[in-house]
Amino acid sequence: QNFKYIFYCNGRELTFCFLLCFQQNGRPHFYDKPIVESFEEAPLHVMVFTYLGYGLGTLFGYLRDFLRSCGIEKCNAAIEREEQKDFVPLYQNFENFYTRNLYMRIRDNWNRPICSAPGSRFDVMERVSDDYNWTFRFTGRVIKDVINMGSYNFLGLAASYDESMRTVKDVLEEYGLGVASTRHEMGTLDKHEELENLVAKFLNVEAAMVFGMGFATNSMNIPALVGKGCLILSDELNHASLVLGARLSGATIRIFKHNNMQSLEKLLRDAVIYGQPRIRRAWKKILILVEGIYSMEGSIVHLPQIVALKKKYKAYLYIDEAHSIGSVGPTGRGVVEFFGLDPRDVDVLMGTFTKSFGAAGGYIAGRKDLVDYLRAHSHSAVYATSMSPPVAEQIIRSMKFIMGLDGTTQGLQRVRQLAKNTRYFRQRLNEMGFIIYGNEESPVIPLLLYMPAKVAAFARHLLNRKIGVVVVGFPATPLAEARARFCVSAAHTREMLDTVLENLDEMGDLLQLKYSRHRKSARPELYDETSFELDD
């Protein structure tokens, strides 16, 4: 298999073109799909004011801590009791500095209580604070019909009850809510087996296994696959569940730059040449951990190159499709379908049902011997309670809807509508002059805000206009790259998107957020490759 990678920059976006050439029936078959991703640099003055803002906030934080220690200002933070002053500290004062003095000032923008289904619109319970966000009280008022731009409801399947959900109601009446047992004991129902067979059919693999929690699907199954003497190569922007699973496994972990194939290949080459540290024995396994869509950057994994590297160096590939399954690909089957690759090229396919399917839980899919091994060794299978039967039925209903097994094409239409909404929303934001990150096909759209004061103002102003957004800052992002993260849904109408865009245009002018000058990435290590070839 020969693989060629070409890079060029057109002045506005960083564009990647893949040319995959392999033999099929004795004749070369070419796969060519451009990937357009944008990671634009902020103007210098924006970065200066961002760091200055954090610097001033830190100085005032030290001043307020001094006033609290003197008893001039009331301290609302958790502190040690006087009778425990000689104990090992339970609360680390310095580690809580950021929470106490910076996060607390804008805390009202997170954990907002929702009192309706997370559809294209939802209802928010109004709350106020009388002590600068240390505590909140509800006013009794509900903010109705807020446009939902924050939930991962990509296909609009997380909605209020209607007749299409009758099967879920029937399962609830027949099976109840809970299973009260693990899969190894008395917790395997016919609904679980039906769901696992359907997931395998949907992904075009031999077998699948489902779990009750998406986060635990990663954190509890990676330790079952690798351990001491194994090597994990993890993308630097991987989700916390992947990071936790890698750490719990006891394997050696090495990080490669995000979507950077030179960085990954160097680690693979060194691993093959030098083996384990000190003893120099060959690694028992080399496992590459990546995501389909990266939820903070909106970027899509460069899967064709990673598959080529994985085959060249005889490594294993584990891909987390939590955000990509159901949301990308011609029929919603994730990044494997998006690139037109064979599912057998990926050793472990993982995904969750919490986003596109409007439910809960996750799955591991692949070869039958892999799934059979996990049934016996997975901590989730041995110790965790089985998936709730109504949840399993909701996933079955949603998956049949996407596959067209309900006798309609509405599922496919939603997948296509999501793609249209995504391209429209991204294009309009670009035209307005905002800096947005990620792939043009990704329904996760980060809009860069940078300055901490603007993060709070942005979310508050939009909620006043009945638009609900998620804002994200440090430590979930780099210190100077705070952002708003929009999640586009197939349930959003063009009128809804235009309403949001109109208000964003006004917010961009009011808060001076239109930073785009179409410059190259602020992180050149992500895209410092010019051209290279990988040959088996």
Side-chain angles (χ1 to χ4, degrees), residues 433-495:
F434 293 104
I435 293 180
I436 60 172
Y437 276 2
N439 189 286
E440 64 175 3
E441 302 290 339
S442 169
V444 179
I445 306 174
L447 186 153
L448 276 292
L449 304 174
Y450 298 105
M451 303 180 197
K454 292 187 177 182
V455 171
F458 185 83
R460 290 167 182 162
H461 277 294
L462 285 179
L463 184 60
N464 290 337
R465 297 169 182 237
K466 291 193 173 184
I467 299 172
V469 299
V470 172
V471 287
V472 190
F474 179 82
T477 68
L479 184 66
E481 293 187 14
R483 64 198 65 178
R485 185 181 60 185
F486 297 97
C487 291
V488 179
S489 171
H492 288 138
T493 64
R494 182 60 62 88
E495 290 74 23

Side-chain angles (χ1 to χ4, degrees), residues 140-278:
R141 177 173 170 260
V142 175
I143 306 173
K144 294 281 189 179
D145 296 326
V146 177
I147 299 178
N148 181 5
M149 296 301 298
S151 298
Y152 300 124
N153 189 16
F154 294 131
L155 297 180
L157 295 177
S160 301
Y161 179 81
D162 58 35
E163 278 304 306
S164 66
M165 301 180 187
R166 175 164 291 278
T167 57
V168 179
K169 180 181 178 182
D170 294 340
V171 167
L172 173 60
E173 292 175 348
E174 180 179 353
Y175 292 84
L177 276 173
V179 180
S181 185
T182 69
R183 292 294 298 271
H184 268 209
E185 296 169 348
M186 300 181 68
T188 297
L189 306 180
D190 56 346
K191 281 295 169 186
H192 297 142
E193 295 183 349
E194 179 185 354
L195 174 57
E196 289 172 347
N197 292 333
L198 186 62
V199 170
K201 181 179 179 181
F202 180 67
L203 298 174
N204 194 25
V205 294
E206 294 178 7
M209 184 176 182
V210 299
F211 305 89
M213 181 181 178
F215 190 97
T217 304
N218 278 330
S219 60
M220 293 292 100
N221 283 295
I222 292 174
L225 295 173
V226 291
K228 188 177 180 180
C230 299
L231 174 64
I232 292 176
L233 302 181
S234 178
D235 190 290
E236 65 176 344
L237 297 183
N238 273 342
H239 189 263
S241 60
L242 290 169
V243 174
L244 178 60
R247 290 175 176 173
L248 291 175
S249 71
T252 300
I253 305 170
R254 291 175 183 164
I255 309 300
F256 62 92
K257 296 296 183 181
H258 176 54
N259 266 344
N260 188 313
M261 296 306 108
Q262 281 186 331
S263 175
L264 175 58
E265 185 177 23
K266 183 179 186 303
L267 291 176
L268 283 167
R269 186 187 300 115
D270 290 347
V272 171
I273 293 174
Y274 300 111
Q276 300 181 44
R278 294 190 298 276

Side-chain angles (χ1 to χ4, degrees), residues 60-77 79 100-101 104-105 131-132 134:
F60 276 98
Y62 280 116
L63 175 61
R64 297 187 70 179
D65 277 354
F66 174 75
L67 295 177
R68 292 175 188 132
S69 65
C70 296
I72 300 174
E73 180 179 333
K74 180 182 178 182
C75 181
N76 293 305
I79 58 175
R100 230 175 19 250
N101 296 297
M104 199 58 63
R105 298 174 67 89
D131 53 4
Y132 304 102
W134 285 98

Side-chain angles (χ1 to χ4, degrees), residues 153-159 162-165 167-168 194-195 198 201-202 326 330-333 356-358 392-418 489-491:
N153 189 16
F154 294 131
L155 297 180
L157 295 177
D162 58 35
E163 278 304 306
S164 66
M165 301 180 187
T167 57
V168 179
E194 179 185 354
L195 174 57
L198 186 62
K201 181 179 179 181
F202 180 67
T331 61
R333 284 169 168 81
S356 297
F357 301 95
E393 179 59 30
Q394 163 65 10
I395 302 166
I396 293 170
R397 183 189 74 87
S398 299
M399 195 165 287
K400 287 182 176 179
F401 177 75
I402 297 171
M403 297 170 70
L405 298 180
D406 62 340
T408 72
T409 60
Q410 293 182 22
L412 181 59
Q413 290 172 11
R414 290 207 188 190
V415 173
R416 292 173 177 172
Q417 186 62 47
L418 174 62
S489 171

